Amino acid sequence: MAHYRQVGEVPPKRHTQFRRPDGGLYSEELMGEEGFSSDSSLLYHRGIPSAMVDARPWELPDQTLTPNAPLMPRHLKLHDLFPGEEHKATDAVTGRRLVLGNADVRISYAVSSLTSPYYRNATGDECVYVERGAATVETVFGALTVAQGDYVILPRATTHRWIPTGDQPLRTYAIEANSHIAPPKRYLSRYGQLLEHAPYCERDLRGPAEPLLAEGSDVEVYVKHRGDGPGGLAGSVHVVPEHPFDVVGWDGCLYPYAFNIADFEPITGRVHQPPPVHQVFEGQNFVVCNFVPRKVDYHPLAVPVPYYHSNVDSDEVMFYVDGDYEARKGSGIGKGSISLHPGGHSHGPQPGAVERSLGAEFFDELAVMVDTFRPLGLGEGGAAVDDGKYAWSWSGRGPSA
């Protein structure tokens, strides 16, 4: 997003000589989106950012997708993916298990306690939601301190790693795009400033505050990139001669940042508001929304829970993070659940939820929603924790009854 920042040392004029204390030149790198026609930043390296001394394949976690056929709504129980002490041998990058995905976006989940390898996603931006725990996210731009409730936006090809901190495992919900991720265009002025009607503003965004300089040689960087594997993906490990965190300063409008869900100001009304009021980010052919604790509809005859609706153009994925979910009581859904409501299937509140909600003034719920405009397939992680019975929860009986 076009919100200018400057961190560390940069020369007064771009594309001019900028010398180290020993008289040598720093290496200037332009990191930009959409060729040279969108947001970018200039980074000044002590070494040569293109240098590498070795490369080998990296076998990615299983990226296979299985079609949602026959077409069904599904309940996926994410907390069953990492039972017991499994997190002690897992990191937030290589330990991701693919839950859902299509050609535009992949949704993965990890519970981890180990520091991840240095990592670069060359296929698109990442939006990682921290469900529980805390971490330091070290990046080539500097470090971010993140904790429960933070969205972490990592632009494509940003070298970074996750270091869990604190005394509980790090639970991360990774939304990986094949495009860029940004605030919705309707929230932005034509010059990129967040407008008055937006539910958050630049003050809520936390970017790196100072350079992160590290020493080292022959450092491995894991790279996810386009290839001929499942999902059109492949992995490589690049060995670089000097530590990739060698940037003494940078400036521009492209960088990683964190935004906490508690800083999202909900938009409410006299009658039920449609899902777009909950939107927080968007990518190509998908949007990210969040449902936060909020005052609900205040018309005297209002029905606070959602009306039944058909997702004609999209699949809806709701990740239930915390609180109580008025529309889903009686379906088995709780904290750590995902509901998938596919395009072509009408969905809405569970039986009895409408009557129970009448007269409610406040909903204490926290959820992250992804709506996609192409059908989603099930990843190996999603298939492993499908409860197999959610589709029958509105009727009260299934095919074997």
Side-chain angles (χ1 to χ4, degrees), residues 43-379:
L43 298 88
Y44 294 88
H45 295 263
R46 294 188 298 197
I48 298 174
S50 303
M52 55 189 297
V53 296
D54 198 6
R56 68 176 189 273
W58 166 35
E59 186 175 346
L60 296 175
D62 190 348
Q63 300 294 301
T64 304
L65 291 169
T66 303
N68 181 16
L71 188 72
M72 292 171 57
R74 296 178 184 271
H75 171 202
L76 314 177
K77 303 171 78 170
L78 290 192
H79 286 182
D80 290 349
L81 279 176
F82 293 86
E85 302 293 296
E86 196 169 319
H87 62 88
K88 292 183 177 180
T90 306
D91 70 75
V93 172
T94 66
R96 292 176 183 174
R97 296 187 64 178
L98 183 62
V99 178
L100 296 161
N102 60 24
D104 303 309
V105 63
R106 295 172 300 280
I107 299 172
S108 301
Y109 188 71
V111 184
S112 59
S113 293
L114 299 181
T115 296
S116 77
Y118 295 102
Y119 168 61
R120 179 187 305 139
N121 188 334
T123 68
D125 293 0
E126 293 192 358
C127 170
V128 182
Y129 180 76
V130 180
E131 179 196 7
R132 292 287 189 276
T136 298
V137 184
E138 294 184 340
T139 84
V140 69
F141 291 87
L144 297 170
T145 299
V146 302
Q148 182 173 323
D150 276 330
Y151 289 102
V152 185
I153 303 297
L154 294 152
R156 175 185 285 173
T158 298
T159 302
H160 67 281
R161 68 172 178 173
W162 288 79
I163 305 175
T165 57
D167 57 1
Q168 62 176 312
L170 179 66
R171 294 181 174 269
T172 48
Y173 184 73
I175 302 164
E176 302 177 35
N178 279 354
S179 62
H180 299 297
I181 298 173
K185 292 182 179 65
R186 68 179 184 280
Y187 293 169
L188 302 172
S189 76
R190 58 179 172 153
Y191 301 112
Q193 182 179 7
L194 284 159
L195 295 167
E196 283 293 298
H197 70 272
Y200 58 96
C201 74
E202 287 84 358
R203 295 183 189 180
D204 301 319
L205 309 180
R206 310 189 321 269
E210 58 186 8
L212 176 61
L213 294 169
E215 300 290 339
S217 59
D218 293 351
V219 178
E220 294 185 342
V221 179
Y222 285 59
V223 184
K224 181 182 290 182
H225 54 88
R226 299 179 184 92
D228 57 4
L233 300 172
S236 297
V237 178
H238 291 171
V239 182
V240 298
E242 298 182 60
H243 203 288
F245 296 164
D246 67 341
V247 173
V248 298
W250 61 269
D251 76 331
C253 297
L254 181 67
Y255 47 84
Y257 63 90
F259 168 68
N260 196 276
I261 198 169
D263 290 322
F264 185 90
E265 300 301 331
I267 299 168
T268 62
R270 272 171 44 91
V271 296
H272 190 79
Q273 299 298 294
V277 304
H278 304 285
Q279 189 177 351
V280 59
F281 300 114
E282 65 185 11
Q284 182 176 330
N285 292 328
F286 74 94
V287 299
V288 181
C289 302
N290 45 216
F291 292 77
V292 302
R294 65 196 181 280
K295 180 180 177 64
V296 291
D297 323 323
Y298 40 89
H299 186 285
L301 297 178
V303 177
V305 296
Y307 35 77
Y308 293 95
H309 51 287
S310 296
N311 287 5
V312 176
D313 294 314
S314 61
D315 280 16
E316 177 196 281
V317 181
M318 188 79 82
F319 174 37
Y320 301 88
V321 177
D322 227 332
D324 296 316
Y325 316 103
E326 294 294 334
R328 293 285 162 257
K329 286 182 177 177
S331 64
I333 281 177
K335 296 176 186 178
S337 292
I338 275 184
S339 62
L340 168 63
H341 298 132
H345 176 265
S346 177
H347 72 278
Q350 301 300 134
V354 173
E355 288 288 351
R356 287 195 302 269
S357 75
L358 299 181
E361 297 183 354
F362 187 84
F363 278 178
D364 182 20
E365 62 184 18
L366 191 65
V368 174
M369 184 175 82
V370 178
D371 271 11
T372 69
F373 299 105
R374 285 202 266 192
L376 287 163
L378 287 164

Side-chain angles (χ1 to χ4, degrees), residues 14-15 27-45 49-50 141 156-157 247 249-254:
R14 61 182 180 173
H15 313 323
S27 297
E28 181 186 53
E29 178 193 15
L30 177 74
M31 183 172 172
E33 298 177 341
E34 300 174 15
F36 294 86
S37 60
S38 190
D39 296 347
S40 65
S41 285
L42 285 167
L43 298 88
Y44 294 88
H45 295 263
S50 303
F141 291 87
R156 175 185 285 173
V247 173
W250 61 269
D251 76 331
C253 297
L254 181 67

